[in-house]
Amino acid sequence: MSSKGSARSSDEMNIFRIAPYYYIHVMDLNTNVTRVVNGPKTYIRQDNEKVIFGPEKMITVPPRHYCIVESPAIRDKDGNVVYDNYGQAKLQHADLEIRFSQEPFPLYPGEVYKQAPKPLMVVAANSALRLKAILDFEDETSKTKRVAGDEWLFEGPGTYMPRKEVEVIETVRATIIQPNQAIKLRARKQTTDRNGIDRVTGEEWTVKEVGAYLPGAYEEVIGILEAYVLTEKKALHLRAMRTFNDCFKIERKNGEEWLITMAESEAYIPDVYEEVVGVVNITTLNNRQYAVILDPVDGNGKPQLGQKKLIKGEKSFFLQPDERLENGIQNVYILGEDEGLILKANEEFIDKESETVHRKPGDRWMIRGPMEYVPPVQVDVISKRKAIPLDENEGIYVRDVKSGKVRAVCGITYMLTHDEELWSKELSPTVEELLISNKDPLADRGNYGAKGSTVKRDKTKVVTFRVPHNAAVQIYDYKEKKARVVLGPDLVMLGPDEQFTQISLSGCKPKRPNQIKSLCLLLGPDFCTDVLTIETADHARLQLQLAYNWHFKVADKSQDTLAKLFAVPDFVGDACKAIASRIRGAVASVQFDDFHKNSAKIICAAVFGYDKDRKLNSSFVFPANNLTITSIDIQSAEPVDQRTRDALQKSVQLAIEITTNSQEAAARHEAQRLEQEAKGRLERQKISDEAEAERSRKELLELQAQSAAVESSGQAKAEAQSRAEAARIEGEAAVEQAKLKAEALNIEATAELERLTRAREAEIKYVGEQNELEIAKSKEMVTIETEKFSNMVQAIGTDTLRSIATAGPENQVKLLQSLGIQSTLITDGSNPINLFNTASGLIGAIEPPFKREKHE
C-alpha cells in the first residue's frame, strides 16, 4: 500500500502542466543546456532533465507601455531567436533592449527583467523633452547622425518612444510671453535660434513676440522682462552698455545715455545692451515758479557743460541725462511794499529790469516791491529783506558793510539797504544770563540762585533793561569813555558801544563774596544779616547773628553824586566787615557777664558811637558811597566754646530753679493763710448752726404735745375706719389678682402654641431647603463629572483610548512575531491537553510548490 503511494507522488513530480502564457526553464543535465518550454502544454520531465525555473507567467507589455530587458537574446531579421551550436540562446551580454507593446513573451535563460512595464512619455503641446545621446547612432526619424554628447529637443504634442542610446535630461516647457513682456535668452553653446540667427556661446538676446516660446536645446531662459509703461508724466532713462543699434535703428555708443518718452513708445522693453538708469518724472512749473537747468542739452543731444538755462512757468519738461536743476523748482519772488531783494551779478550783462543798466560781476544792488521778480541766470539772490517795524522802546543794531560803522535805529520802521546788515551785540555770559532771566530785582531778591527763563536773546535787537523803582543802573560808553547812572523807574537802551556795570555783592551767612549778581543797585531801605564771632575780655567766644537796616543817602541827582553809589563794588561785604571790626574791638574790653547783660547797648555804642553830648548817634554813614546803617538787631548770641555754653546753661538753669523755689514758698504761705481764714469761718458757722438747732428742737416739743392730745381722742374712730377700708381693699385686690392670673395663663399658653408652630414651620422650611441644596449639589456634581469625563475623552481622543485599550495585546503579538513564533500554546500546567489534536491543528497542511495530478 505504501509502495503504491510513493510511486504515485514520484509521477506527479515529473509531470508539469504549463498553462497558456506560462513557461518553464528546463536544463539538460547531460549537456548543461537550458531551454524554454512554453504553454499550454503538459510536460513530462525526463530523468536527465531538471526544471530550474517556473512555471512562470510570460511578460505582458500593455499598449503605450514599454519595458527594459538586460542581456537580451539575439534575433535574426525575422525576429527569431538565434541559437548556438549547443542549442543555447545567444545573448547580448550587458546590453539593454527596450520592448514595446507585443504578444506576451518569455524570458530566455540569461535574460534579466530590469524594468517592469512603464507608460510611454506623452509630451504635451508647448513643451519638449531635452534629450542627450549617450551612444553614437543614426536617428531614422530625422535622418540625423547623433554623436555621444549631442543634445536636441523632442517637441510636443507627441509620444516619445525611448531608445537605449538616448537619455532624457529634463522636460522643457514653453515660456508664455504676454503683451508688454519679453524673455531674455542666453546661448549655452554655439547654436542657431528659431529665427535662423547664429548665436555664439554666452550671447544674450530677447524675444518679444507675444505667445509661447520654446527655448532650443542650447538656449536657457534668464528671465522675463517687463515693459516699462510710459505716460505723459514719466520717461525712461537708458544707458548703452556697448555700441549697437537700438530698436529704433539708431546707433548708440558705449556709455551714451538718452530718454525714451511716450512720444516714441507707450511701452518699452530695454534691450540686453541697454541699462535702465531710472524712471524720470516730468518737471512741471506753474505760472508762479521757475527753474534753472545746469549743463543743458542742445538740440543735437549734446550737453553744454558750464551753461545755465532759465525756464519760466507755465511749462512741463523732462530733464535730459546729465541735466540737473539748480536749487530745484523755485518760486517767483513776490515782493510787497515792505519787502526787497539784495542781488549780486555773477557775470557781466545788461539789466533790463532796471532801465537797461550795465552790470559788472560782483555788483550788488537792491530792488523794492511791490513787484514780481524772476532772477536771470547772471544774477544771484543774496537775501530777501523785509522792513522791521520798531516801537519807540525798540531798536536794532545796523552796521554799514563798507565803512564798518555801527549805529542803533529806534522808533521807526526801517529796511536794511544792500550796504547794511544787522549787527549782533555781544555781552558777557553773566550779563546775558541776568537779562534773559527776567527776574524782578525787588520781588525776586530771595531767589538769586534759581534759574530763570532759558529763551535766548536776539542779539541784533537793542538791549533794553527796565530799572525798578528806587534803584540805579550804571552804563559805561567805551567809545566816549564816559559813564552815566540811570535812576528808576526808567527804561535803559544800550548803544552799540555801551555796557552795563555788573554788581557782585556778598551773600549768605556768614558773608561770602560774589554770591549776588545784579545789574541794578537797590537804594533801600533794606536789611542784611551777618554772622560773626567775637571774644570777650575773659576769652569767652560768642557767635552773634546781627541784622542791619541800611539805605543809600542821595542828596541830589547829579551824575557826580550818583557815581559815588557805584564807588564801592561790594558795599554789603565792606559794610559787614567794618561793623564786625567795630563790634569785635568793643567786646574785647568787656567781661562776659557784662556783655551778657548789656549786649545791645555795647554793640550799638560800638557801631553808632556817641555825639558831643554823650548821646547815642542814630546812624552810621560810609562816606565813600553814602551807605547809611540805621539800626542793628541782635537776633542770637551763642557761645562758641562748649564749656562756656555748658556753664551759661547751668547758670540759666540755676536762676530758673531759684525763681521757681521763691514762687513755691510764696504760694505755700498764701495757702496757709487761706486755710486759717477758712477754719475761722467754719467755727463761726458751727456755733450759729447749733443755736438754730436748739430753737428747732423747742418747736418740735411743742408740736409733739399738741399731737398727743389729738391722738388720744380720735384713735378709736381711726382704727375702725382703717379696718373696714383694709378689708375692702383686700377683696378688690383678690378679685383683680385672679383676673390677672387667668389672663397671664391665657397669654402664656397662646405664646407657647405660637412659638411651637413657628418652630415647626422653620424646621420644615430648613429641612426642605437643605434637601433642595443637596439635590442641586448632586446635579452639579453629576454635570461636572460628566463634563470632566467628556473633556478627558475629547482631550485624549478616541484613537488614543483605542490604542491604550489594545496596547497590551498588540505588544504581546509583536513580541511573539519578533521571536519568530508562528503559534503558541499557553496552559497553567494543571489541566490535561490532547497533544495529538493540538499538533495537527498547529502544523496544518503544507502546500506543494508545484501543482501535481493525483493518481486515481
Side-chain angles (χ1 to χ4, degrees):
M1 188 71 181
S2 60
S3 60
K4 291 183 178 180
S6 61
R8 185 175 182 180
S9 60
S10 176
D11 294 339
E12 290 179 355
M13 293 179 63
N14 292 329
I15 298 175
F16 293 88
R17 299 183 184 277
I18 304 173
Y21 300 110
Y22 278 78
Y23 68 97
I24 62 174
H25 287 178
V26 180
M27 184 177 69
D28 191 339
L29 297 178
N30 295 328
T31 61
N32 287 330
V33 174
T34 304
R35 70 178 189 279
V36 178
V37 179
N38 297 326
K41 186 177 182 181
T42 299
Y43 178 74
I44 299 174
R45 182 180 65 85
Q46 303 298 323
D47 292 340
N48 62 335
E49 292 179 342
K50 180 180 179 181
V51 177
I52 60 175
F53 183 76
E56 187 68 23
K57 189 176 181 180
M58 293 183 180
I59 298 174
T60 302
V61 180
R64 301 187 64 81
H65 285 67
Y66 71 97
C67 68
I68 299 177
V69 177
E70 185 178 357
S71 300
I74 300 175
R75 298 178 183 271
D76 57 11
K77 296 181 180 179
D78 298 332
N80 298 322
V81 177
V82 179
Y83 296 92
D84 57 7
N85 297 330
Y86 302 101
Q88 182 77 34
K90 291 185 178 181
L91 302 179
Q92 298 177 0
H93 295 283
D95 199 357
L96 297 177
E97 181 182 356
I98 298 176
R99 298 179 182 179
F100 300 98
S101 178
Q102 55 182 296
E103 291 292 327
F105 60 89
L107 288 178
Y108 284 86
E111 291 184 336
V112 179
Y113 189 34
K114 187 173 183 180
Q115 179 179 309
K118 187 176 180 181
L120 294 174
M121 297 181 66
V122 178
V123 182
N126 295 329
S127 62
L129 294 179
R130 186 189 299 275
L131 306 178
K132 182 178 181 181
I134 57 178
L135 296 174
D136 296 346
F137 74 100
E138 185 173 353
D139 191 354
E140 296 83 2
T141 304
S142 60
K143 305 299 181 180
T144 305
K145 185 177 181 180
R146 305 290 184 184
V147 181
D150 284 352
E151 295 182 9
W152 68 97
L153 294 182
F154 178 81
E155 300 181 6
T159 302
Y160 173 69
M161 308 299 290
R163 298 177 60 105
K164 65 179 182 179
E165 300 90 352
V166 179
E167 177 187 4
V168 178
I169 300 176
E170 62 176 348
T171 300
V172 180
R173 300 189 182 278
T175 302
I176 306 301
I177 304 176
Q178 302 289 343
N180 295 330
Q181 283 185 346
I183 58 173
K184 188 175 182 180
L185 303 175
R186 181 190 294 128
R188 296 190 298 112
K189 187 177 178 182
Q190 186 173 359
T191 183
T192 302
D193 63 6
R194 295 186 179 274
N195 296 326
I197 301 175
D198 294 334
R199 303 292 181 180
V200 298
T201 304
E203 183 180 356
E204 296 180 357
W205 70 97
T206 57
V207 177
K208 301 179 181 179
E209 289 79 6
V210 177
Y213 182 83
L214 189 64
Y218 296 111
E219 297 175 1
E220 61 177 344
V221 178
I222 299 177
I224 298 178
L225 303 178
E226 297 288 341
Y228 289 88
V229 179
L230 305 179
T231 63
E232 295 178 353
K233 297 182 180 181
K234 290 184 178 181
L236 196 61
H237 185 185
L238 302 177
R239 181 188 295 124
M241 301 175 66
R242 56 171 288 184
T243 302
F244 74 105
N245 293 329
D246 63 4
C247 60
F248 303 110
K249 306 303 179 182
I250 301 175
E251 184 180 5
R252 302 294 182 182
K253 299 294 183 179
N254 187 10
E256 181 181 354
E257 297 183 4
W258 68 96
L259 287 184
I260 301 295
T261 62
M262 186 179 178
E264 296 160 343
S265 176
E266 294 183 356
Y268 188 78
I269 300 175
D271 198 72
V272 292
Y273 303 119
E274 294 176 346
E275 178 186 2
V276 178
V277 179
V279 177
V280 179
N281 294 321
I282 196 170
T283 303
T284 304
L285 304 177
N286 58 28
N287 58 358
R288 288 292 182 269
Q289 292 178 336
Y290 72 97
V292 177
I293 300 178
L294 301 178
D295 302 334
V297 176
D298 60 5
N300 298 326
K302 303 298 181 181
Q304 305 298 315
L305 300 178
Q307 300 294 325
K308 294 183 180 180
K309 181 180 179 181
L310 177 65
I311 299 179
K312 300 180 182 180
E314 300 175 349
K315 191 172 183 180
S316 297
F317 60 94
F318 289 104
L319 285 176
Q320 296 295 325
D322 296 329
E323 287 185 346
R324 63 186 187 277
L325 294 180
E326 183 182 25
N327 299 326
I329 298 175
Q330 306 178 57
N331 294 322
V332 175
Y333 291 95
I334 301 176
L335 305 178
E337 295 180 356
D338 57 344
E339 294 178 330
L341 289 178
I342 305 298
L343 307 177
K344 181 180 179 181
N346 53 32
E347 60 181 270
E348 187 175 359
F349 75 104
I350 303 298
D351 187 3
K352 298 181 181 179
E353 297 286 343
S354 303
E355 301 178 357
T356 316
V357 179
H358 183 73
R359 302 289 185 185
K360 295 182 178 180
D363 285 352
R364 290 168 59 100
W365 70 98
M366 181 178 182
I367 60 173
R368 297 176 180 267
M371 64 180 299
E372 292 182 2
Y373 183 74
V374 178
V377 294
Q378 300 87 358
V379 176
D380 293 334
V381 178
I382 303 301
S383 63
K384 185 177 181 181
R385 297 286 172 84
K386 189 173 183 179
I388 304 173
L390 301 173
D391 192 16
E392 59 180 355
N393 294 330
E394 295 179 334
I396 56 174
Y397 297 110
V398 179
R399 184 176 72 171
D400 193 325
V401 296
K402 291 184 176 180
S403 63
K405 184 178 179 181
V406 181
R407 61 192 178 93
V409 179
C410 303
I412 60 173
T413 300
Y414 187 77
M415 180 185 293
L416 299 175
T417 64
H418 59 279
D419 293 327
E420 292 178 342
E421 65 178 1
L422 291 175
W423 181 73
S424 298
K425 183 175 178 62
E426 298 293 338
L427 299 174
S428 64
T430 305
V431 176
E432 288 279 2
E433 184 178 356
L434 293 174
L435 286 175
I436 66 176
S437 62
N438 293 327
K439 290 183 180 180
D440 191 343
L442 288 174
D444 298 332
R445 287 179 296 174
N447 297 326
Y448 286 108
K451 294 184 179 180
S453 175
T454 57
V455 179
K456 292 185 178 181
R457 178 181 65 88
D458 187 357
K459 297 183 179 182
T460 61
K461 291 186 177 180
V462 172
V463 179
T464 59
F465 182 75
R466 291 179 176 84
V467 184
H469 175 69
N470 201 20
V473 174
Q474 187 181 42
I475 302 167
Y476 187 80
D477 191 340
Y478 285 88
K479 184 177 182 181
E480 301 293 336
K481 299 187 182 303
K482 292 181 181 180
R484 59 187 176 98
V485 179
V486 179
L487 296 177
D490 199 353
L491 180 68
V492 176
M493 302 181 70
L494 292 186
D497 301 311
E498 291 181 336
Q499 295 287 342
F500 288 105
T501 299
Q502 179 184 342
I503 300 174
S504 181
L505 304 178
S506 298
C508 300
K509 295 182 291 184
K511 288 292 180 282
R512 290 185 294 175
N514 300 324
Q515 296 298 311
I516 301 174
K517 300 182 185 299
S518 178
L519 297 179
C520 65
L521 178 64
L522 301 179
L523 301 180
D526 205 342
F527 72 94
C528 65
T529 305
D530 192 14
V531 175
L532 64 151
T533 303
I534 60 174
E535 186 174 353
T536 60
D538 51 358
H539 304 292
R541 300 185 66 194
L542 301 176
Q543 185 177 10
L544 302 180
Q545 182 171 337
L546 306 178
Y548 314 128
N549 288 338
W550 59 268
H551 69 276
F552 285 98
K553 187 177 181 180
V554 181
D556 55 8
K557 296 185 179 181
S558 63
Q559 288 295 323
D560 295 337
T561 303
L562 295 177
K564 293 180 63 178
L565 299 175
F566 296 89
V568 181
D570 187 4
F571 71 92
V572 174
D574 292 346
C576 290
K577 290 178 182 178
I579 294 173
S581 177
R582 290 193 172 201
I583 293 174
R584 290 190 186 97
V587 174
S589 61
V590 180
Q591 298 292 329
F592 172 73
D593 292 337
D594 295 338
F595 177 75
H596 187 64
K597 296 177 182 179
N598 304 310
S599 58
K601 183 178 180 180
I602 294 172
I603 291 175
C604 290
V607 175
F608 297 116
Y610 294 96
D611 57 7
K612 297 178 181 180
D613 298 332
R614 301 300 297 173
K615 291 183 179 180
L616 190 66
N617 291 326
S618 60
S619 62
F620 174 41
V621 180
F622 292 87
N625 58 354
N626 294 330
L627 176 64
T628 303
I629 307 298
T630 57
S631 64
I632 297 178
D633 180 21
I634 304 174
Q635 295 180 346
S636 65
E638 297 180 357
V640 177
D641 190 8
Q642 184 64 34
R643 291 178 297 177
T644 305
R645 188 178 301 175
D646 295 341
L648 180 61
Q649 187 175 4
K650 288 180 181 179
S651 64
V652 172
Q653 291 178 356
L654 184 59
I656 294 173
E657 185 177 356
I658 293 171
T659 303
T660 303
N661 293 334
S662 63
Q663 290 178 355
E664 288 180 357
R668 188 165 49 253
H669 179 70
E670 182 66 22
Q672 291 176 358
R673 186 182 63 80
L674 294 176
E675 184 179 0
Q676 293 297 329
E677 290 180 356
K679 286 182 179 180
R681 287 195 299 271
L682 181 60
E683 291 295 334
R684 288 195 299 270
Q685 185 66 31
K686 185 176 181 181
I687 294 171
S688 62
D689 290 343
E690 288 179 356
E692 185 66 28
E694 290 297 331
R695 285 193 296 271
S696 298
R697 188 178 294 109
K698 179 182 178 182
E699 292 177 358
L700 177 59
L701 292 175
E702 290 178 356
L703 291 174
Q704 286 179 353
Q706 292 176 5
S707 63
V710 174
E711 182 181 359
S712 61
S713 62
Q715 181 177 4
K717 183 179 180 180
E719 287 179 358
Q721 291 179 353
S722 63
R723 284 195 295 270
E725 187 66 21
R728 184 180 64 79
I729 291 172
E730 288 179 357
E732 291 178 355
V735 173
E736 187 67 22
Q737 184 178 6
K739 290 181 179 181
L740 292 175
K741 285 183 179 180
E743 291 179 359
L745 291 174
N746 188 16
I747 292 170
E748 184 177 357
T750 304
E752 182 66 19
L753 180 61
E754 186 175 358
R755 184 185 66 80
L756 293 174
T757 302
R758 291 184 178 179
R760 297 297 182 272
E761 292 177 354
E763 184 177 1
I764 293 171
K765 184 177 180 182
Y766 170 75
V767 173
E769 292 178 353
Q770 188 174 10
N771 294 335
E772 291 178 355
L773 290 175
E774 289 294 334
I775 294 171
K777 179 180 178 182
S778 300
K779 291 181 178 180
E780 292 292 333
M781 291 300 294
V782 170
T783 304
I784 291 172
E785 290 296 331
T786 304
E787 293 180 354
K788 176 181 177 182
F789 183 76
S790 177
N791 293 334
M792 289 175 61
V793 171
Q794 292 179 359
I796 297 173
T798 55
D799 295 338
T800 305
L801 291 175
R802 189 183 302 111
S803 300
I804 292 172
T806 59
E810 288 181 354
N811 288 336
Q812 295 176 1
V813 171
K814 292 180 179 179
L815 179 61
L816 294 175
Q817 290 177 354
S818 63
L819 295 175
I821 299 175
Q822 298 295 329
S823 61
T824 59
L825 178 63
I826 300 173
T827 179
D828 55 358
S830 59
N831 296 322
I833 301 175
N834 188 351
L835 296 179
F836 295 99
N837 295 333
T838 303
S840 61
L842 291 174
I843 296 173
I846 299 176
E847 184 179 358
F850 305 104
K851 297 180 180 179
R852 298 179 175 87
E853 184 180 0
K854 295 182 180 180
H855 295 283
E856 295 296 333

